[in-house]
Amino acid sequence: MKVTLNWLRNYVDFNGTPEELTERLTLLGLEVEGIVRLTGQFDGVVVAQVLSRDKHPNADKLSVCRVADGQGERQIVCGAQNFKVGDKIPLILPGASLPLKAGDTQPFTIKVGKIRSVESHGMMCSHEELGIDPEAIGHRREEGLLILREEATVGQPLAAYLGLSGSDVVFDLEVTPNRPDLNSLIGIAREIAAVTGNPLRLPQVTFPETQGASASIRLEATELCPRYTARVIRGLKVGPSPAWLRSTLEKVGLRSINNVVDVSNYVMLETGQPLHTFDLRRIQANEAGVAEVVIRRASDGEKFTTLDGREHTLNPDNLLIADAAGGVALAGIMGGLHSGIQDDTTDVLIESAYFTPTGIRRTSKSLALRTDASYRFERGADVQATESASRRCVQLLLEVAGGTVSGAAVDAFPNPPQVKELTLRHDRAQVVLGVEIPSETQAQFLSGLGLEEVGQGSRSGSVTSVWRVPSWRVDLKREVDLVEEVARLFGVDRIPSTTPRGAVGAHPFDATYDRFAEVRRILTGLGLDEAQGQTLISDTAARWASPDVVLLANPLSSDMNALRPSLLPGLLDSLNHNLSRGNGDVQLFEMGRVFSLQNGVAREGWRVAIALTGARDPRFWSGADRDAKADVFDLKGLLEELIERLGLRGVVYARRPESTVLMLESATVTLGGKLPLGQLGQLLPTLAKRYDLRDAVLLAELDLDILLARGNSARSFKSLAAFPSIQRDVAMIVPEAITHEAVLSAVKQAKPNNLEAVELFDVFRGKHVPEGHKSLAYSFTYRAADRTLKDEEVQAAHDRLVGVFQSALGATLRA
Amino acid sequence: MSLQERLPAILAAAQQELRAAPDLSALDRVKGRFLGADGAFTALMKELGSLPKEERPLAGKAINAAKQELEAVLTELRGVLELKAALPKEPADFTLPGRRRPLGRLHPLTQVTDSIVRAFRKLGFAVAEGPEIEDEVHCFDALNTPKDHPARDAQDTFFLDTAERPLLRTHTSSVQIRVMEKTPPPIRIVVPGRVFRRDNADATHNPTFHQIEGLYVDRNVTVSDLKGTVEAVFKEVLGNDVKLRFRPHYFSYTEPSLEIDFTNALVRKLGKEWLEIAGCGMVHPQVFENVGYDPEVWSGWAFGFGIERIAMLCYGITDIRLLYENDVRFLKQF
């Protein structure tokens, strides 16, 4: 729904800026989707008078004039010939723009300039330049300047001279479907009146009502059309609309057709009531000689052509406005091709009716025909407004098209609906809204919206008032709807926010709980089963893991006399239990708290541990690797996957030179070589034997607190490589002491251009590899982000890299 | 016979031989015989030169049409034979077991804890935790536990062999105190965690076990809220057919205190009418005073229960020790 500020001001005062109005309307639930400022027509064009006219020194066809513009005098160079000294003409001042004409993309802006070396401070205008039809404003059409009437006031804006409005603001409002009454200027003005407290000014409609027969109405389908009002005007003159009407409609996006159609559109926008005007000649008279309008269901298969030229095949669901000969309009949607207003129409019948929403919706949908009228009827018009809208329409028609009212109004309204009344408990607002609003204020809000208080009382200790709901408020159905009105006018923004009851559960561990779940999800996804071990273990087992063990003062037994310093002894117990039951292939993880003694004080922290033994994969019936047992690289692969998923970088695995009390061969896991994260390795065979474990047992344990604290779950997208890569493989023999890590750091130091990835694909000892050496084979991927790499540049970078391997690692290349 | 009269027979023979080819190489051989350099069609093309000039276009057209027809047959047969060649010699036995990448399983205690936590979280509770090693203040004093209460006895509670003699918490209620000490009300937390009682392990006892506790503190919190929340949580965890009964009881840190019994089809199958499942109550004003809350302004409730008990009920586990042995045959069932 589009409205303009000036139009709204006809009905209600609003003193704020357009922005303030936007804010007010939005907070009322009428969202402003767009706001367009219209500069006034002919801004910068004034009435001026020619004081002198001399020949241009350098051009025969031009003259140099002095004109009065109301402020002073100006020198203007002019090419027109049709004027004389003393004439009043339109003058456009420098800085102003001429109205856009068809085909223009940019307005033509007037500047001070020299024409043939004589300065000109503006331009005197022709009717074409201004886009004015001179005859339509009662002026002579002639070549050259538009000569204004003698009585024109010098200095007056041209718009004022022409009786046009000045600048305006157009608001595009989103009207929610429950509020059909807001599809009208008056509806919107009423909201503004209620929220500002300014009075609502409804148009005063007076015209001489007449008596006698005007038309006859036969209402045959009251279930689809509960009310039908008709009036007749005779002797009007169809023609162009006056400027005010035309510009008002154009500003809100409607095309001006002629004065009769424009008035009915204007009244529809003003009141929300769609109207239709028929050429009275097209409606057959009955025996009494009076035009008879029949409101009936279409018969099955009945054909009807709407004024857009489309022929429709109707059925009894469709409501027709008809006369004895057939349909003249598709009720509430569109008129017929032949019944509309023609240029020579003099007598019109004005229809103002209420059609039920479901009926209109059904027809509009099945015929795929939507109009401004059907839109309003579909959402629910005001059944009580038909009469007043009809009167308003008559008033305006008489004003802009002349003619006289003929006969009395006819109003078929067999079953007026009952007036709706709603009871509001005043403390209900507080219960629902959570804010106390005084009863008087609530009453004031509701009265402002046109509700009428018709009674007071009390119910179960609450003060109540009874409200009569105006007919246009089809959305107000029960008490809570009134509470909503109170809330809207009070201002939802003024209702204080209270802390959500319940959603106050804040605790730092809450997020950690989810991250624990994430770790569990990763590890079960990798095929590990989750274990839960005892917190209490034997001090002997505890000391394999740590020397600083917390002991119980009052243990129940010696195998439960210490707090676990590590999850590993418990996992070994679980492996042992499984082996003793014949489950040889076990892959477990556990997350839990461990305890240590630090300076005599017991401390606790979270760990995650993994234990593997037996077959690497579930048994399968084919394949060379099917009997493979889990080894330390299975374990490391699990750690790597977990650590990568948790987003840790810079994890270093360093082999311990010696066995420990727990591990045969093992490595420490640290962050950057400094912050200890945990360990991984293979269980000492002596301990394995004690636990009856036959296959290699792989154990790892990491500090879960550090893992989560240093992890980073943020992910960001890196664009996918768009150019091809080049791969180079290197197989080299290096001394045993050179680790994979050492190779990687050599690569890091060499920093080859465009190196994208390094992948180890073979480690080999034996034939053709000298004792104390090993062969490592790597694949290097080179890629540039912005281009296809050339073979030569990759080769150069790669050769330098290989050179570094040779010099820094003592590597020899294999053929 | 003229060239055109012989053409149909040659075409028919070629088609027949092509269709008889059992594999791709046989197909190519047949193709050579008809369309190759020494093939029958090539010979026909050569013969074309000897025809009178005016007959040549028509005859040429006929030969080309026949060749095209043959090419179409060839394409069709090649498709069929290529598909045949791609099939393995032995058909796959789709009833053979697949190469599995087994998912690991979450421990049943984890699964039950998660489902209870999920129920609480839907109601706006946040998960909280506290230390397993506790002091007497948080485990007993602040919870209004009388000095002579048996829970404080070395018979029931594990004490540590450290200077300050802290203890292993006997319930998760100690976390209530720790959270309220640090956080102003309102509060909504759920606390799962390990607790310790000095019981010898048997089918229904383990010195280590798990509890979960809910605490809600706000203005105007009532027993109604408590009952509503308890019912919501247990319906979520144990199913909609669960029925609860609240019995007055005694806990030092709640007033009034209630014990909760529940029943459902499972309980009745066990031959019982009601099964005790949880304790709860309105937080005792003394507890609020101990953490510096004004009991005139704030009220709240707490309830707690054992996770093992729920897990055993849910899954029909009869021996609590199974939960700590980590037998993979057991773990794989959940």
Side-chain angles (χ1 to χ4, degrees), chain A residues 751-763:
Chain A
K751 262 194 226 156
N753 287 335
N754 301 311
L755 180 66
E756 183 184 66
V758 185
E759 193 180 15
L760 175 68
F761 66 89
D762 189 47
V763 180

Side-chain angles (χ1 to χ4, degrees), chain A residues 201-472:
Chain A
R201 285 188 301 269
L202 294 177
Q204 293 304 308
V205 179
T206 47
F207 58 83
E209 290 273 11
T210 49
Q211 293 305 314
S214 57
S216 157
I217 294 172
R218 227 165 73 212
L219 187 47
E220 291 181 357
T222 50
E223 68 287 355
L224 293 179
C225 175
R227 186 175 191 184
Y228 196 98
T229 311
R231 277 190 165 81
V232 170
I233 295 182
R234 290 183 192 274
L236 53 68
K237 185 175 177 334
V238 176
S241 288
W244 67 265
L245 178 54
R246 186 193 182 108
S247 87
T248 302
L249 292 179
E250 282 173 351
K251 278 192 267 186
V252 298
L254 256 63
R255 206 161 49 89
S256 169
I257 313 272
N258 59 45
N259 51 5
V260 176
V261 173
D262 286 0
V263 162
S264 67
N265 280 333
Y266 182 90
V267 176
M268 173 179 75
L269 293 174
E270 181 181 78
T271 64
Q273 171 64 40
L275 300 149
H276 193 74
T277 43
F278 296 98
D279 185 328
L280 198 59
R281 287 176 296 183
R282 306 290 175 184
I283 301 174
Q284 282 194 11
N286 58 12
E287 302 95 18
V290 176
E292 182 166 73
V293 179
V294 183
I295 299 101
R296 63 164 169 87
R297 289 173 182 270
S299 50
D300 218 350
E302 185 168 357
K303 298 265 198 283
F304 182 71
T305 306
T306 43
L307 67 85
D308 57 359
R310 283 169 60 196
E311 190 189 56
H312 305 277
T313 306
L314 307 180
N315 63 48
D317 275 348
N318 310 130
L319 190 67
L320 268 182
I321 309 301
D323 62 9
V328 291
L330 200 53
I333 300 176
M334 195 181 270
L337 185 56
H338 304 297
S339 63
I341 301 303
Q342 309 293 320
D343 288 344
D344 63 350
T345 300
T346 54
D347 302 343
V348 298
L349 180 139
I350 301 155
E351 163 196 295
S352 179
Y354 178 85
F355 301 108
T356 57
T358 45
I360 296 294
R361 197 175 303 129
R362 194 172 300 154
T363 298
S364 158
K365 204 170 168 193
S366 68
L367 302 182
L369 202 55
R370 298 199 61 204
T371 59
D372 283 334
S374 73
Y375 174 85
R376 284 176 169 76
F377 284 125
E378 242 180 63
R379 278 164 173 71
D382 177 2
V383 72
Q384 300 295 356
T386 58
E387 163 66 10
S388 58
S390 162
R391 286 165 50 80
R392 174 67 166 159
C393 184
V394 168
Q395 177 201 29
L396 289 177
L397 278 180
L398 296 178
E399 190 181 314
V400 306
T404 53
V405 181
S406 164
V410 192
D411 188 5
F413 194 16
N415 303 302
Q418 282 215 321
V419 176
K420 223 173 358 184
E421 286 181 359
L422 293 175
T423 302
L424 174 70
R425 284 168 287 167
H426 286 262
D427 56 5
R428 195 64 199 155
Q430 190 177 0
V431 170
V432 175
L433 306 178
V435 65
E436 197 179 335
I437 302 172
S439 323
E440 311 80 66
T441 313
Q442 297 188 36
Q444 206 180 314
F445 288 154
L446 296 178
S447 311
L449 290 169
L451 281 84
E452 193 188 341
E453 189 169 359
V454 291
Q456 285 190 341
S458 70
R459 193 200 302 164
S460 29
S462 309
V463 178
T464 62
S465 51
V466 182
W467 292 89
R468 184 166 290 164
V469 178
S471 54
W472 60 83

Side-chain angles (χ1 to χ4, degrees), chain A residues 499-511 513-514 516-517 520-521 523-536 550-557 560 563-564 570-571 573-575 577-578 581 583 585-591 593 595 597 600-604 606 617-623, chain B residues 96-107 109-110 113-114 117 121 123-133 154-155 157-165 168-169 175 179 183 186-189 192 194 196-200 206-208 210 216-221 225 323-329 331-332:
Chain A
T499 320
R501 289 169 67 87
V504 292
H507 194 277
F509 184 71
D510 194 65
Y513 183 83
D514 288 331
F516 281 8
R520 285 196 184 95
R521 197 181 61 78
L523 293 176
T524 53
L526 292 171
L528 305 177
D529 293 319
E530 191 194 11
Q532 292 255 13
Q534 300 282 358
T535 298
L536 303 179
V550 184
L551 296 176
L552 289 182
N554 56 342
L556 279 162
S557 64
M560 281 196 170
L563 299 191
R564 60 183 180 187
L571 284 175
D573 279 330
S574 295
L575 293 190
H577 173 89
N578 275 289
R581 308 293 160 96
N583 315 326
D585 309 322
V586 187
Q587 309 200 339
L588 294 176
F589 78 97
E590 182 172 358
M591 287 164 59
R593 292 204 218 204
F595 305 84
L597 206 56
V601 180
R603 305 264 179 218
E604 52 191 281
W606 285 90
D617 295 313
R619 200 151 187 200
F620 193 62
W621 41 268
S622 111
Chain B
L96 281 173
R99 195 179 277 112
R100 296 287 284 266
R101 299 178 175 203
L103 278 179
R105 307 300 168 93
L106 288 175
H107 195 280
L109 288 176
T110 302
T113 306
D114 279 347
V117 165
R121 276 184 159 180
L123 304 173
F125 285 70
V127 187
E129 64 145 16
E132 289 175 16
I133 295 177
Q155 278 301 115
T157 302
F158 284 117
F159 289 92
L160 301 185
D161 187 17
T162 51
E164 299 139 54
R165 238 175 79 99
L168 290 178
R169 67 179 178 196
V175 183
V179 170
T183 322
I187 289 197
R188 259 192 193 195
I189 52 166
R194 282 197 168 191
F196 307 88
R197 302 249 172 109
R198 204 166 166 279
D199 292 323
N200 276 306
N206 190 62
T208 297
H210 294 78
Y216 176 29
V217 181
D218 207 333
R219 293 171 205 271
N220 309 318
V221 176
D225 293 320
L323 292 168
Y324 293 95
E325 285 169 350
N326 302 312
D327 190 315
V328 291
R329 295 167 304 168
L331 297 177
K332 295 274 185 213

Side-chain angles (χ1 to χ4, degrees), chain B residues 12-322:
Chain B
Q15 290 202 13
Q16 192 183 357
E17 281 190 50
L18 282 174
R19 291 198 186 279
D23 55 32
L24 284 168
S25 60
L27 191 75
D28 281 335
R29 279 196 303 276
V30 178
K31 180 189 174 188
R33 268 213 301 287
F34 286 93
L35 296 171
D38 300 325
F41 277 86
T42 324
L44 286 177
M45 288 302 273
K46 282 177 189 155
E47 210 181 311
L48 208 59
S50 63
L51 289 182
K53 210 175 170 189
E54 63 277 10
E55 288 178 24
R56 274 185 225 165
L58 217 61
K61 227 178 193 172
I63 297 174
N64 273 327
K67 271 174 85 174
Q68 271 173 21
E69 199 179 332
L70 211 55
E71 291 284 359
V73 172
L74 204 58
T75 309
E76 176 209 329
L77 290 175
R78 179 164 283 127
V80 172
L81 291 176
E82 275 172 355
L83 199 67
K84 198 172 148 194
L87 277 173
K89 283 199 186 66
E90 305 303 330
D93 173 2
F94 280 97
T95 68
L96 281 173
R99 195 179 277 112
R100 296 287 284 266
R101 299 178 175 203
L103 278 179
R105 307 300 168 93
L106 288 175
H107 195 280
L109 288 176
T110 302
Q111 296 192 34
V112 169
T113 306
D114 279 347
S115 73
I116 299 167
V117 165
R118 199 178 306 123
F120 272 108
R121 276 184 159 180
K122 279 187 188 173
L123 304 173
F125 285 70
V127 187
E129 64 145 16
E132 289 175 16
I133 295 177
E134 260 303 354
D135 52 37
E136 298 215 24
V137 171
H138 292 91
C139 205
F140 302 124
D141 297 341
L143 285 164
N144 202 29
T145 312
K147 288 284 179 206
D148 58 351
H149 194 276
R152 291 171 174 253
D153 202 75
Q155 278 301 115
D156 286 340
T157 302
F158 284 117
F159 289 92
L160 301 185
D161 187 17
T162 51
E164 299 139 54
R165 238 175 79 99
L167 46 88
L168 290 178
R169 67 179 178 196
T170 56
H171 48 201
T172 43
S173 303
S174 54
V175 183
Q176 289 183 21
I177 303 300
R178 290 201 172 265
V179 170
M180 286 195 285
E181 276 175 347
K182 284 204 169 159
T183 322
I187 289 197
R188 259 192 193 195
I189 52 166
V190 56
V191 186
R194 282 197 168 191
V195 298
F196 307 88
R197 302 249 172 109
R198 204 166 166 279
D199 292 323
N200 276 306
D202 61 24
T204 55
H205 293 90
N206 190 62
T208 297
F209 63 102
H210 294 78
Q211 276 190 343
I212 192 158
E213 176 131 349
L215 172 70
Y216 176 29
V217 181
D218 207 333
R219 293 171 205 271
N220 309 318
V221 176
T222 64
V223 175
S224 291
D225 293 320
L226 167 58
K227 291 180 66 178
T229 307
V230 168
E231 278 162 14
V233 167
F234 279 114
K235 285 209 162 127
E236 186 87 22
V237 175
L238 295 172
N240 270 326
D241 69 331
V242 74
K243 272 205 185 94
L244 299 181
R245 180 175 73 180
F246 294 79
R247 280 183 286 110
H249 195 72
Y250 167 74
F251 303 108
S252 61
Y253 39 98
T254 49
E255 188 66 47
S257 300
L258 305 166
E259 208 151 47
I260 306 166
D261 300 333
F262 89 104
T263 188
N264 62 6
L266 211 72
V267 173
R268 287 188 289 275
K269 225 166 73 182
L270 293 173
K272 293 186 178 160
E273 204 173 333
W274 294 99
L275 219 55
E276 179 194 324
I277 188 112
C280 64
M282 302 303 292
V283 179
H284 198 289
Q286 184 62 54
V287 173
F288 278 150
E289 281 162 14
N290 292 343
V291 296
Y293 286 11
D294 183 349
E296 287 303 308
V297 176
W298 302 102
S299 56
W301 51 248
F303 80 90
F305 47 93
I307 294 173
E308 275 79 357
R309 194 176 172 79
I310 306 272
M312 290 168 80
L313 272 165
C314 282
Y315 299 122
I317 299 166
T318 47
D319 190 327
I320 196 172
R321 287 169 293 197
L322 280 166

Side-chain angles (χ1 to χ4, degrees), chain A residues 15-31:
Chain A
N15 301 324
T17 63
E19 286 72 24
E20 283 163 353
L21 185 58
T22 297
E23 171 90 3
R24 276 285 173 87
L25 291 174
T26 301
L27 289 176
L28 279 171
L30 253 170
E31 195 187 339

Side-chain angles (χ1 to χ4, degrees), chain A residues 50-67 75-81 83-85 118 124:
Chain A
V50 182
L51 302 177
S52 69
R53 177 182 174 183
D54 297 305
K55 240 178 75 53
H56 191 291
N58 306 322
D60 287 344
K61 299 216 163 142
L62 298 181
S63 49
V64 179
C65 308
R66 296 204 64 78
V67 301
Q75 176 173 295
I76 308 286
V77 177
C78 182
Q81 305 299 334
F83 67 98
K84 57 183 190 298
V85 172
V118 175
M124 300 193 282

